Amino acid sequence: MLRNHRTFYWIFAGLAVAAAACWIFNLAYYREGQLEKPVFLTHYIETENDEGTLFDLYVLENLEEEQQIAQIRIPGLERAQIAVSSRSSYRNQELVKYTVQLAGESADDVRFTARSSDWPLVFKQIEVDYADGTRSTENIGEIHLYPRPSAEPVLTVPQSMSSNGQEGQSTLQAEEDLRITGVDTGFEVGLGSRLELYWGDEVGEWDFDQPLEEWGRGSLLGEAKFPMELKKGGTTKLGYRFLDQADDDWATVYRLMPRIRTESSDGTSRILSVFVDYAPYPDEQQIRRFIKERREES
Amino acid sequence: MKAAFGNMFWGMLIVLLDIRIGFDLLIDPVGYLLVAYGMSRIDKAIPLFRVGKWIAVLLAAVSIPAVFDPGTVGGGFQALFESRTVEAGSWSDIWLTSLLGDFALMLLIYLLCEGICRLAKQQGEAGLDQQMQGAWWLYFVSSAPMMILSPFLLNFDIPGLFAILLGVGFVGLIAFVQLLHGFRRAGRDLDEADPQHRLDIRI
């Protein structure tokens, strides 16, 4: 077919070398993008010890993970129900979300065994069982578990919403005439200027067709003036926005619990806790850089 | 001669067709072995087929895993694509067998085409010579770029991948059809050649 039949062998050899080089490069690149084992993100979670309380834990693992996670447990909250609630797939990894639900028994266990001075209970590690029978203890950041307030709050949350997992707002409605005396923002480990809280004394119409940006956030919480009077049925709102600044900010997940202090007309003080959630939505490049950093650290 | 080219025709047809009912009904290893058998029947007349029959046997062995698990190995670029979608198979297994399988298939098709070309020239069958040359070059231009491109699917999104797949798939199909028709034509037009008479052409 070719004038010089040996030409084919040279073409074939060249193609073989080129294809082998492409495979070697891509396999090296692929292996470089693999985690050595599943990695739990850093979490800062505040929540109340109440039946049905939910919070999420995230782990990044390889799609073709040799050491697959079978189940996880939180020592001290053994009877909490933990199950995979979603998986976000990337090219070679997936971000798995475990939802933890405090069952009646687990919450009661904690409530009755903890002394009042122990609160909040802090959980920093989880136990991980792998499908191959091995087990490990992993750091997950901090879960702060607070006691459920004994008195029913006089503020309720008729509506709350979040957008993109990084911003949202809660509408607060007074059940009686009251004064809001302030908002405690709890612990804000490593947040810096990453979280902005907003306070609005008027709530606009809820229009889900409009982006949250256009709803109006209100003023920054630091600029809000307390105490603030609220008549029965009156509403206000607490908004929040997480601003990712560093490239790896997504790897630190928050569920914070600002506490709104109220004072009834009879002088009784009560607290309403609302939740401020950050859910990670990294892109492919962020995942790759995160893995690269982890590999360099180890 | 006719029977040997018939073996090659049916062998390559079995390789080309995929009828899956949980597994490939027309299993590729049988097809490759049939090709090897056909080549061995006329390897005195076409010395290139002495090498070719062993390559066909190698391909039969390499394609065995794909019979039972289409998501694993055996089909080179196809295996890579399927593995991505079914999330099965180990990349380290795939790259080795894919590389081996793709190159062995390319070499086999070259030897089939080249062997028939040489015999056709000797017998003065210029039309068949042209047809097998065409089949080879079509196959080469459809599969060589994919050999280079397919490893990159492991890590990168390739823009227009579907269109590329469609294009090379179509060209590859034409090449195979031309090759199969070439076997039929060779069986008819080269039947006069003596299978025991060695072609005096160097490998």
Side-chain angles (χ1 to χ4, degrees):
Chain A
M1 276 190 297
L2 297 164
R3 279 182 193 167
N4 181 350
H5 66 274
R6 291 199 186 279
T7 307
F8 168 74
Y9 298 112
W10 283 112
I11 293 172
F12 194 80
L15 186 62
V17 169
C22 290
W23 272 111
I24 290 166
F25 164 76
N26 277 286
L27 276 171
Y29 191 83
Y30 173 77
R31 289 189 191 285
E32 190 71 17
Q34 293 290 299
L35 288 162
E36 287 170 1
K37 64 173 194 170
V39 174
F40 281 85
L41 304 189
T42 303
H43 303 77
Y44 289 106
I45 295 170
E46 291 182 299
T47 192
E48 286 181 347
N49 175 33
D50 197 6
E51 183 172 356
T53 293
L54 300 169
F55 57 89
D56 300 320
L57 299 174
Y58 292 86
V59 61
L60 185 68
E61 58 184 17
N62 296 327
L63 278 176
E64 291 176 41
E65 184 61 66
E66 289 172 13
Q67 205 177 16
Q68 288 204 328
I69 294 174
Q71 63 170 2
I72 63 173
R73 289 185 305 279
I74 305 173
L77 283 174
E78 277 83 2
R79 278 177 284 186
Q81 293 172 5
I82 305 176
V84 173
S85 55
S86 73
R87 294 174 185 271
S88 304
S89 290
Y90 295 84
R91 177 164 286 279
N92 293 321
Q93 278 77 32
E94 60 181 357
L95 188 59
V96 183
K97 180 167 85 173
Y98 285 88
T99 296
V100 181
Q101 181 176 17
L102 296 184
E105 308 93 65
S106 59
D108 284 347
D109 261 13
V110 172
R111 189 183 302 161
F112 289 125
T113 54
R115 297 188 303 273
S116 60
S117 59
D118 291 337
W119 295 102
L121 300 178
V122 180
F123 303 89
K124 295 185 177 179
Q125 292 184 318
I126 58 167
E127 288 177 352
V128 183
D129 290 340
Y130 297 97
D132 62 5
T134 57
R135 180 177 290 184
S136 73
T137 302
E138 302 292 337
N139 294 321
I140 49 151
E142 295 180 18
I143 301 169
H144 286 213
L145 192 62
Y146 292 88
R148 182 170 176 254
S150 50
E152 286 299 315
V154 287
L155 265 180
T156 55
V157 184
Q159 284 178 314
S160 67
M161 71 154 296
S162 65
S163 167
N164 301 326
Q166 299 191 356
E167 61 182 304
Q169 62 181 34
S170 298
T171 303
L172 312 169
Q173 187 168 39
E175 296 296 308
E176 59 183 65
D177 293 352
L178 54 81
R179 285 200 317 161
I180 296 174
T181 56
V183 179
D184 298 327
T185 52
F187 82 114
E188 295 174 6
V189 183
L191 263 171
S193 56
R194 197 174 153 198
L195 173 64
E196 287 179 347
L197 288 168
Y198 298 91
W199 185 262
D201 49 6
E202 285 183 8
V203 181
E205 285 296 311
W206 289 74
D207 182 355
F208 287 94
D209 291 332
Q210 293 291 319
L212 196 62
E213 286 277 341
E214 294 175 20
W215 291 20
R217 292 196 183 88
S219 53
L220 285 166
L221 183 65
E223 296 165 4
K225 292 198 168 41
F226 295 105
M228 170 193 167
E229 303 283 342
L230 211 57
K231 295 286 181 193
K232 182 180 180 181
T235 57
T236 184
K237 67 179 177 181
L238 179 72
Y240 66 91
R241 178 166 68 154
F242 283 91
L243 302 161
D244 282 356
Q245 287 156 348
D247 194 51
D248 59 352
D249 272 352
W250 66 269
T252 307
V253 180
Y254 292 92
R255 179 177 172 80
L256 304 177
M257 202 170 70
R259 296 159 195 80
I260 300 159
R261 287 183 272 112
T262 61
E263 195 176 282
S264 301
S265 48
D266 62 0
T268 311
S269 294
R270 287 174 186 161
I271 287 174
L272 171 73
S273 300
V274 290
F275 292 104
V276 166
D277 289 303
Y278 174 89
Y281 290 102
D283 60 29
E284 193 67 48
Q285 290 304 315
Q286 286 174 311
I287 293 277
R288 186 152 190 99
R289 281 193 287 269
F290 176 77
I291 293 166
K292 191 180 173 193
E293 283 167 19
R294 300 291 301 199
R295 291 177 71 94
E296 283 170 358
E297 282 170 14
S298 60
Chain B
M1 279 279 176
K2 190 171 184 178
F5 286 119
N7 293 147
M8 290 177 220
F9 171 83
W10 287 110
M12 287 310 284
L13 190 64
I14 288 171
V15 170
L16 179 65
L17 295 179
D18 253 4
I19 301 175
R20 290 203 173 273
I21 47 165
F23 63 94
D24 189 0
L25 196 63
L26 299 173
I27 55 177
D28 290 358
V30 170
Y32 286 123
L33 289 176
L34 209 50
V35 172
Y37 177 62
M39 293 176 103
S40 71
R41 293 174 80 173
I42 51 172
D43 63 357
K44 282 202 176 89
I46 306 175
L48 278 176
F49 285 5
R50 287 181 199 161
V51 182
K53 70 185 175 190
W54 290 113
I55 290 170
V57 170
L58 174 71
L59 275 163
V62 166
S63 59
I64 287 172
V67 173
F68 304 104
D69 187 357
T72 51
V73 293
F77 179 75
Q78 183 192 358
L80 188 66
F81 194 71
E82 287 182 348
S83 175
R84 169 60 64 200
T85 52
V86 299
E87 293 179 14
S90 151
W91 292 113
S92 53
D93 291 341
I94 288 171
W95 86 268
L96 186 66
T97 46
S98 155
L99 200 61
L100 194 65
D102 285 347
F103 275 96
L105 182 61
M106 180 178 269
L107 192 57
L108 176 67
I109 289 176
Y110 172 74
L111 293 173
L112 283 166
C113 294
E114 178 71 31
I116 294 171
C117 275
R118 289 180 188 186
L119 194 56
K121 264 184 197 159
Q122 191 204 37
Q123 301 287 313
E125 295 288 344
L128 180 59
D129 176 29
Q130 294 282 318
Q131 178 171 347
M132 296 312 277
Q133 280 194 43
W136 157 249
W137 285 114
L138 278 178
Y139 177 78
F140 184 78
V141 296
S142 68
S143 56
M146 292 316 296
M147 282 186 187
I148 302 293
L149 193 62
S150 60
F152 291 92
L153 288 176
L154 197 56
N155 296 303
F156 305 100
D157 291 321
I158 297 172
L161 178 65
F162 183 72
I164 295 171
L165 283 175
L166 210 63
V168 297
F170 184 67
V171 175
L173 186 66
I174 293 173
F176 262 93
V177 169
Q178 207 165 341
L179 181 70
L180 290 171
H181 182 251
F183 288 140
R184 279 297 191 215
R185 196 169 165 185
R188 188 188 65 215
D189 298 347
L190 304 178
D191 203 32
E192 303 292 311
D194 179 4
Q196 302 303 319
H197 179 257
R198 187 182 187 281
L199 277 176
D200 190 21
I201 300 172
R202 285 178 302 147
I203 296 173

